[in-house]
Amino acid sequence: MTATVLVVDDEPDLEALVLQKFRRQIRNGAVAFVFAHDGIEALASIEQHPHVDMVVSDINMPRMDGLSLLAKLQEAEDKKSTIIVSAYGDMSNIRTAMNRGAFDFLTKPIDFGDLEMTIEKTIRHVEAMREARRRQAEAERAHASLSRYFSPQIASRLAAVGDSDGMEVHWREVATIFTDITGFTSLVETVAPDVLGALLNEYVGGMTDVVFAHEGTVAKIIGDAIQVLFNAPGDQPDYARRAIACAHDLDIWAQAFRDRWKEKGVSFGATRIGVHAGPALVGNFGGSRFFDYTAYGDTINTAARLEAANKHLGTRICVSAAAADSAGNFQGRPVGNISLRGRSEPLRAFEPLQDARFKTTANAQYGEAFAKLEAGDAAAMPAFAALVGLHADDALAGFHLKRLLNGAKGARIQLD
């Protein structure tokens, strides 16, 4: 790359002398020179040649001297590295030049060997600064892109080490969450566009904030549906526990969101959540032109079907046994063995419970009724009936009672 040097001096013979002394470097394309005769002309020249890499300036010149030019150059957004050259090499001038941002200071008569070395040193400095700015700009672009998917902590780390770190497609153990909203299609058809826009933006923003608080990764947002990953791209040994804790907080936030908009006269559906853990193919599937960090595989599909299962079960969160077992100290109640579309074997599922609800008498009663259901005990029906009688809002108990009344046997649940 050719470095462009602006030489500012009112001596009439200096231009020819510089071109003669640096003829080899000019011929080789290492350096090019632009000339001006005072500070005002130099500023005009920089406007015409914004690619100037550095300035070599005399001090004593008409209209605008070198120290005033130096001050102007340092005020500009694109600060030029400047070497001050003067016959007035006293300490006062040197200190003034350095305080105003000069890169170096040389005295006249000019030693062209010294000038050549100083220019080379300054060019190396300019190139280092340019590279640093380029890397910073790349990091800022990477951070802006990554922040759409990852929590601020993860995005900053990935941007710092390079956005290819952990982005390549590979198999990885993950926990994944799928969320969806009941009745969203009907809402789209009945709510004014400006209201729908505000509604959905607030919803997605709030749900994303909850995910990021647990350091999860937002893999996809499709309309009202959100897909979340844990243990990707970085290692999170407690990824299943994080996913279940995140699901609880997403449910709490979504319910509060519904209440807020209900007060405004908008009926917003409940958020259904599915959680599963297992291997998935994870990475950037967008190629070199489009960044699309996401995951594919049976684990992802199963989480999506667990989310949909909530519609039949009357629950809002459905967690697989794989996720519950991986989390450790899981608190919840069994849903049953669900036969999901696309799976040959039924999947054990649970409804996770917050600590206060987990310790209630009602949950203990549910556990007893469910044990009878699994054992094929005829007493399961009256046990669930008694539970529903005491707790009419227990949708899952009501689901099992309805199944038993329709002749179902055991805890295996066939969903359409």
Side-chain angles (χ1 to χ4, degrees):
M1 188 183 94
T2 302
T4 301
V5 181
L6 170 61
V7 178
V8 189
D9 198 303
D10 60 339
E11 289 190 19
D13 299 332
L14 185 62
E15 180 175 342
L17 191 57
V18 167
L19 294 175
Q20 171 65 23
K21 293 292 184 180
F22 285 89
R23 63 186 183 282
R24 178 179 54 82
Q25 294 92 327
I26 295 170
R27 186 171 58 249
N28 293 338
V31 66
F33 288 93
V34 180
F35 296 90
H37 300 98
D38 58 47
I40 292 176
E41 189 177 324
L43 294 174
S45 180
I46 289 174
E47 285 189 10
Q48 296 175 358
H49 307 89
H51 58 282
V52 164
D53 295 297
M54 59 177 293
V55 176
V56 178
S57 177
D58 189 17
I59 288 182
N60 190 24
M61 297 180 294
R63 296 201 300 174
M64 180 185 289
D65 61 61
L67 295 178
S68 298
L69 170 63
L70 179 59
K72 291 286 187 182
L73 293 174
Q74 295 306 303
E75 291 173 2
E77 183 176 347
D78 182 17
K79 297 176 175 59
K80 305 295 183 182
S81 295
T82 305
I83 301 169
I84 293 295
V85 182
S86 177
Y88 303 94
D90 59 88
M91 185 56 67
S92 176
N93 277 333
I94 293 174
R95 286 186 60 81
T96 300
M98 292 306 181
N99 288 337
R100 292 187 183 182
F103 183 76
D104 209 336
F105 191 102
L106 298 177
T107 58
K108 289 185 176 181
I110 295 175
D111 182 331
F112 279 92
D114 188 16
L115 177 61
E116 181 179 358
M117 293 177 60
T118 304
I119 287 176
E120 289 177 355
K121 178 182 69 174
T122 308
I123 290 171
R124 288 195 298 271
H125 169 74
V126 168
E127 290 174 348
M129 293 298 294
R130 184 179 288 121
E131 176 65 15
R133 286 194 295 269
R134 185 188 68 79
R135 289 182 177 273
Q136 181 181 359
E138 284 184 354
E140 289 172 354
R141 286 194 298 270
H143 188 271
S145 177
L146 295 169
S147 292
R148 294 184 300 155
Y149 299 84
F150 309 117
S151 68
Q153 301 93 325
I154 295 176
S156 295
R157 178 174 62 80
L158 290 174
V161 300
D163 61 7
S164 64
D165 183 71
M167 299 296 105
E168 69 282 355
V169 176
H170 62 292
W171 283 101
R172 187 177 185 88
E173 290 291 324
V174 299
T176 184
I177 295 175
F178 257 88
T179 77
D180 203 1
I181 302 169
T182 60
F184 186 74
T185 302
S186 298
L187 184 69
V188 170
E189 294 171 350
T190 57
V191 175
D194 57 333
V195 174
L196 182 64
L199 184 79
L200 193 56
N201 285 337
E202 182 185 343
Y203 175 80
V204 171
M207 294 285 277
T208 300
D209 287 343
V210 173
V211 172
F212 287 172
H214 290 270
E215 296 192 351
T217 295
V218 177
K220 279 193 187 308
I221 297 175
I222 304 175
D224 61 310
I226 302 173
Q227 177 192 345
V228 180
L229 297 175
F230 288 89
N231 203 42
D235 293 331
Q236 294 171 317
D238 58 344
Y239 59 90
R241 182 193 63 76
R242 284 178 184 264
I244 294 172
C246 181
H248 276 306
D249 286 348
L250 287 171
D251 179 61
I252 293 169
W253 190 91
Q255 286 295 99
F257 177 82
R258 289 184 70 196
D259 292 341
R260 288 197 304 275
W261 279 89
K262 186 176 181 180
E263 293 176 358
K264 301 177 184 179
V266 177
S267 181
F268 193 81
T271 295
R272 298 187 302 244
I273 301 170
V275 185
H276 187 41
L281 199 59
V282 182
N284 176 25
F285 289 87
S288 60
R289 291 185 175 272
F290 180 73
F291 186 82
D292 184 21
Y293 186 86
T294 190
Y296 294 98
D298 181 65
T299 296
I300 309 304
N301 297 336
T302 299
R305 285 163 188 157
L306 285 170
E307 174 272 310
N310 287 291
K311 178 180 178 180
H312 302 276
L313 301 170
T315 53
R316 293 198 302 270
I317 309 176
C318 194
V319 174
S320 70
D325 292 344
S326 297
N329 299 318
F330 174 76
Q331 292 185 334
R333 59 183 183 172
V335 167
N337 301 319
I338 306 178
S339 295
L340 296 172
R341 181 170 54 86
R343 293 184 65 93
S344 58
E345 296 296 324
L347 183 78
R348 187 72 162 181
F350 295 84
E351 180 187 23
L353 301 176
Q354 297 280 14
D355 186 64
R357 191 177 172 202
F358 181 72
K359 294 176 179 178
T360 60
T361 302
N363 187 45
Q365 292 172 333
Y366 177 92
E368 293 170 2
F370 188 85
K372 290 181 173 65
L373 177 67
E374 282 203 302
D377 190 335
M381 186 184 294
F384 277 115
L387 186 58
V388 171
L390 291 171
H391 306 282
D393 60 343
D394 191 335
L396 186 56
F399 169 79
H400 285 304
L401 177 59
K402 184 177 179 180
R403 288 181 62 246
L404 291 168
L405 290 170
N406 289 332
K409 305 289 185 182
R412 179 162 179 169
I413 303 167
Q414 181 68 45
L415 298 180
D416 295 333

